[in-house]
Amino acid sequence: MESLNISKKLIQSHLVTGEMISGKEISIQIDQTLTQDATGTLVMLELEALGLEKAKVELAVQYVDHNLLETDSKNAEDHAFLLSAAERFGIGFSRAGNGISHPLHVMHFAVPGKTLLGSDSHTPSSGALGMLAIGTGGLDVAMAIAGEPYPFEMPEIYGVELTGKLPDWVSAKDLVLEMLRRIGVRNGRGRIFEYFGPGLKELSIMDRLVIANMGTEMGATTSVFPSDEETLRFLKSQGREAVWQELKADPDASYEFTMQVDLATLEPLIACPSSPGNVVKVRDVAGKPIHQVVIGSSANPGPRDYFIAAELVKGKKVPAQVSFDINPATRSVIEYLSGTGQLTTLIQAGARFHQAGCLGCIGMGQAPASGKISLRTMPRNFPGRSGTYDDRVYLCSPETAAASALTGAITYARDFAKTYDIPFTAFKNADKETSGSNLLFESPAANPAKKFEKGKNIKPLPEFGKIKATYEVPVLLKAGDDISTDEILSAKAEVLKFRSNIPEISKWVFNQMDPEFYNKAITSQKEHGGHIVIAGKNYAQGSSREHAALAPKYLGQIAVIAKSYARIGWQNLINFGILPFEFRDEHDYDKIKLNDILTLEGITESALVKNQVRIYIKKKNIEIRTKHHLTWRQIKIILEGGKINYTRKWLFANH
Ligand code: MIC
């Protein structure tokens, strides 16, 4: 029998179709699902559209953690809708105030050896506990809740061997930033990062969560850790040791690639604006004045991270020009800090203490001043994501963030500690985690008679017709490399409240890149029947929000031609019936100009299967050679006008 690494063991034990050959489509059975409020409303509307009676997975949990500011009635109404849908379908419900889905899931529900699919790109966080946890678009999660296997491309497994011990003042965030420094935001695509080696014993489950969470920023399908003694210790601390099982690679298992990280050689790192892949040493940017520090996010959930911040600022005062924001990741972090007295310590130092949740990480408040530096312990800093279009967001560890808050400039924590004579030993006893016993969580049985509670802002999913064989449409946007979903459809508070209202949210499509885009798209839809977008490498990186495909589709987007795509963004285009073409020759990108009219001919099943759709610039009669790597199933989905139509017709037709 073939010796297997952990990732392959997890996939093999859930494999429904296909073979474990990298790049080939496989499908796996999903044991658990995770949805959050910003993506969950669409998931529930999709389940309604598909006519689901009850959830068919072992466990489905709906979290409320993103849309927490009630500046009008919309978010509160969305949350009431989610609770009613959870009661209808028999889905667990975690109320607002409990905190961020990812650490909550790891603490309360993640099980080594199981699979998890989530409508949030940071779902891989549960890989910290030896799960195969994948983030994807809401419609894929809806299908999993309906009991369907999840199709995706078999990734290559990339082994990361950890050796050595982390130096003082260097933590898990620095390790994952080192990974990002080496890999960048594109080269993790089509890969799973599997961590192994003696250095693992240095990392608590919360540390592993930080690393698995931000593996997403490398474009990875997911990250996986073994289930070992530390996993058992953690599960015991949560009163859940009964679900523990050991999970390790076979002794002679191999990886497609391996890399080594000697923890002892790491030093504090920081991601500069405006990409998590833009990593340099803290030393290289030290001294730059800052105006905001935010500590806490799904990429910094453990109590140790708040403990460190509290101990560093103890008895000192943050200067008035710095907004020092503390975002507790979970309700239990608040309880912990209040129990240790560190809540008072932080507040006395000038901290602004917020409710548990994602908050400024997705621009739900906490938008920084234009052009001024905001230092955050969060997972990503794509342009404008903070809610300020010309933001300057840096990502760093809590050590760097807290030391910088006090000095008012980017600061190397070790130098700071030396100046103030703060010994690192004072931090060694930081608790690794809090117990998860206090979660206010509903676990309803399915009740098909339960009525959906829909506020006025919740609009039905738009219906789309089949794709035509020919189009003549203008290029309404020509984007560069690494365009994130935050740039396609902003995450800020003003926009997030329309997540369950596609007609309204579509007004924000590409707004950051071209404030006139919406008007142009509406005109183009009337005059040409749609539009096309051109992009560089890694189009639609970042979040899983399917709105970044659904809203453009609503505005008539027929196709995107890009140099390459991010995994989830590509999948979402397909799910909503948008053709994801790639340039055969990247130089053709330069031939296309904004507003060129492109003719697309032969969009039929047979031409698509043979990769023979013809695209040319009408007036100039220049051919643009494109290709795609759609499977036959995906071609059918697109031609039907998206996965909902396809599912109704082909999958659930006889149910
Ligand atoms: C993010 O971190 O980008 C988000 C906001 O959590 C998204 C989900 C969303 O857009 O609702 C994600 O990671 O998928």
Side-chain angles (χ1 to χ4, degrees):
M1 239 174 56
E2 196 198 341
S3 296
L4 296 178
N5 52 46
I6 300 172
S7 311
K8 286 199 173 158
K9 284 186 184 184
L10 288 165
I11 293 172
Q12 192 178 59
S13 59
H14 291 83
L15 197 62
V16 179
T17 58
E19 281 178 75
M20 293 196 292
I21 302 171
S22 52
K24 297 271 176 237
E25 190 176 81
I26 55 168
S27 71
I28 56 167
Q29 199 56 46
I30 297 300
D31 301 321
Q32 301 186 351
T33 60
L34 172 162
T35 44
Q36 40 90 340
D37 49 337
T39 56
T41 46
L42 276 194
V43 174
M44 299 308 149
L45 290 170
E46 287 156 359
L47 290 175
E48 184 188 20
L50 293 171
L52 182 82
E53 288 232 324
K54 66 174 187 162
K56 295 189 180 147
V57 274
E58 284 174 19
L59 176 85
V61 189
Q62 170 64 52
Y63 293 90
V64 176
D65 54 3
H66 280 69
N67 291 355
L68 297 177
L69 299 184
E70 287 92 9
T71 53
D72 61 25
S73 63
K74 295 183 184 65
N75 288 340
E77 284 166 9
D78 272 3
H79 297 158
F81 167 60
L82 288 171
L83 179 57
S84 70
E87 286 169 356
R88 166 109 162 214
F89 298 129
I91 291 175
F93 184 82
S94 171
R95 68 182 69 184
N98 278 349
I100 307 175
S101 65
H102 309 300
L104 289 176
H105 206 85
V106 168
M107 290 160 76
H108 298 271
F109 304 112
V111 174
K114 299 262 182 191
T115 54
L116 169 70
L117 195 69
S119 62
D120 189 289
S121 66
H122 294 112
T123 303
S125 304
S126 286
L129 221 65
M131 280 192 106
L132 186 77
I134 302 179
T136 193
L139 191 44
D140 291 318
V141 179
M143 298 300 296
I145 295 175
E148 292 297 315
Y150 174 61
F152 66 112
E153 277 176 19
M154 176 67 198
E156 289 173 334
I157 317 299
Y158 204 127
V160 186
E161 185 178 13
L162 302 178
T163 57
K165 251 171 112 54
L166 283 171
D168 294 351
W169 304 107
V170 177
S171 58
K173 181 53 71 69
D174 299 303
L175 167 52
V176 73
L177 286 172
E178 168 65 10
M179 292 291 294
L180 273 153
R181 194 183 66 77
R182 294 187 191 187
I183 307 281
V185 292
R186 291 181 210 146
N187 291 329
R189 287 177 300 171
R191 290 180 171 155
I192 292 179
F193 289 89
E194 180 171 319
Y195 291 84
F196 68 99
L200 270 180
K201 59 178 185 308
E202 285 290 299
L203 302 174
S204 71
I205 292 298
M206 284 292 150
D207 293 336
R208 296 176 189 188
L209 194 165
V210 173
I211 297 159
N213 176 293
M214 284 184 67
T216 297
E217 311 314 331
M218 297 185 268
T221 304
T222 189
S223 299
V224 168
F225 282 85
S227 172
D228 56 12
E229 283 302 307
E230 165 58 16
T231 320
L232 178 60
R233 188 201 60 73
F234 173 80
L235 284 167
K236 274 191 187 145
S237 77
Q238 307 298 310
R240 297 206 297 127
E241 62 269 35
V243 303
W244 184 77
Q245 56 158 308
E246 188 178 38
L247 194 61
K248 57 179 184 187
D250 291 332
D252 45 358
S254 60
Y255 300 94
E256 266 106 341
F257 299 91
T258 37
M259 66 190 280
Q260 213 200 34
V261 183
D262 177 359
L263 303 180
T265 62
L266 295 181
E267 70 164 282
L269 297 172
I270 189 162
C272 301
S274 290
S275 166
N278 202 0
V279 177
V280 301
K281 293 177 177 167
V282 169
R283 283 183 190 289
D284 295 340
V285 286
K288 283 183 187 289
I290 57 172
H291 110 112
Q292 184 187 43
V293 166
V294 191
I295 296 184
S297 73
S298 66
N300 262 94
R304 97 169 259 295
D305 294 338
Y306 301 88
F307 180 103
I308 299 251
E311 289 303 302
L312 266 175
V313 302
K314 199 184 211 156
K316 306 183 191 69
K317 197 168 134 202
V318 171
Q321 73 273 18
V322 178
S323 174
F324 180 39
D325 296 85
I326 301 289
N327 291 351
T330 59
R331 187 191 287 287
S332 48
V333 164
I334 305 179
E335 288 177 347
Y336 169 80
L337 291 174
S338 96
T340 58
Q342 287 170 318
L343 181 60
T344 313
T345 307
L346 286 163
I347 286 171
Q348 285 177 348
R352 304 170 62 184
F353 208 86
H354 298 270
Q355 62 179 312
C358 305
L359 304 173
C361 184
I362 27 87
M364 182 54 65
Q366 301 174 342
S370 261
K372 293 209 171 174
I373 293 182
S374 169
L375 214 56
R376 300 172 167 214
T377 62
M378 293 165 171
R380 48 178 61 146
N381 58 344
F382 299 126
R385 175 180 170 84
S386 64
T388 302
Y389 281 170
D390 58 347
D391 57 12
R392 307 280 302 151
V393 176
Y394 287 70
L395 308 173
C396 63
S397 69
E399 289 85 337
T400 305
S404 306
L406 285 170
T407 61
I410 297 177
T411 298
Y412 192 41
R414 183 177 295 152
D415 293 348
F416 175 85
K418 237 188 254 156
T419 315
Y420 284 87
D421 200 19
I422 306 174
F424 188 74
T425 42
F427 300 83
K428 290 258 181 207
N429 305 329
D431 283 354
K432 291 182 176 159
E433 66 275 323
T434 58
S435 116
S437 60
N438 52 3
L439 178 61
L440 298 171
F441 176 76
E442 323 306 313
S443 163
N447 171 12
K450 173 81 194 171
K451 290 243 171 325
F452 293 113
E453 209 178 309
K454 284 190 187 162
K456 286 195 295 298
N457 183 49
I458 300 176
K459 298 288 184 256
L461 287 175
E463 301 270 344
F464 301 117
K466 291 189 180 198
I467 301 284
K468 294 195 295 184
T470 309
Y471 288 94
E472 248 176 34
V473 285
V475 174
L476 284 196
L477 191 103
K478 189 170 172 192
D481 292 341
D482 298 316
I483 293 301
S484 68
T485 48
D486 288 305
E487 290 153 284
I488 301 172
L489 192 53
S490 304
K492 57 184 177 174
E494 272 167 283
V495 185
L496 279 164
K497 63 184 177 193
F498 295 118
R499 283 290 179 94
S500 50
N501 183 342
I502 298 303
E504 209 45 53
I505 207 169
S506 70
K507 295 181 180 158
W508 291 89
V509 170
F510 289 119
N511 177 274
Q512 181 171 348
M513 299 173 77
D514 176 2
E516 281 307 308
F517 186 89
Y518 173 74
N519 293 332
K520 289 181 190 166
I522 294 289
T523 310
S524 176
Q525 200 165 19
K526 279 196 204 118
E527 292 176 1
H528 302 276
H531 71 266
I532 195 163
V533 161
I534 308 299
K537 293 181 181 154
N538 200 22
Y539 178 71
Q541 70 162 332
S543 99
S544 69
R545 72 188 67 136
E546 54 191 348
H547 305 73
L550 174 51
K553 170 79 178 182
Y554 180 76
L555 297 182
Q557 191 167 98
I558 307 298
V560 175
I561 311 177
K563 291 182 183 168
S564 65
Y565 294 87
R567 177 182 61 88
I568 308 179
W570 179 74
Q571 185 68 62
N572 284 339
L573 291 175
I574 299 166
N575 285 353
F576 291 100
I578 298 174
L579 288 153
F581 290 116
E582 287 154 52
F583 289 100
R584 268 187 204 274
D585 176 352
E586 290 188 3
H587 293 106
D588 279 6
Y589 171 91
D590 301 320
K591 296 182 183 160
I592 307 177
K593 304 273 172 283
L594 192 65
N595 300 326
D596 275 349
I597 304 279
L598 298 193
T599 305
L600 288 78
E601 278 176 3
I603 309 175
T604 60
E605 188 174 324
S606 63
L608 277 162
V609 167
K610 289 190 232 135
N611 233 318
Q612 278 176 351
V613 173
R614 264 199 84 208
I615 303 184
Y616 52 94
I617 309 174
K618 195 179 165 203
K619 278 213 177 118
K620 303 178 195 158
N621 207 15
I622 298 175
E623 172 122 30
I624 303 297
R625 284 150 307 154
T626 60
K627 58 181 179 176
H628 64 76
H629 62 283
L630 301 166
T631 62
W632 180 66
R633 182 186 61 85
Q634 289 168 325
I635 290 172
K636 279 194 146 347
I637 289 175
I638 294 178
L639 290 174
E640 284 299 338
K643 199 166 180 173
I644 294 188
N645 295 353
Y646 169 86
T647 306
R648 281 197 194 123
K649 183 161 169 188
W650 299 102
L651 278 184
F652 291 174
N654 304 320
H655 284 204

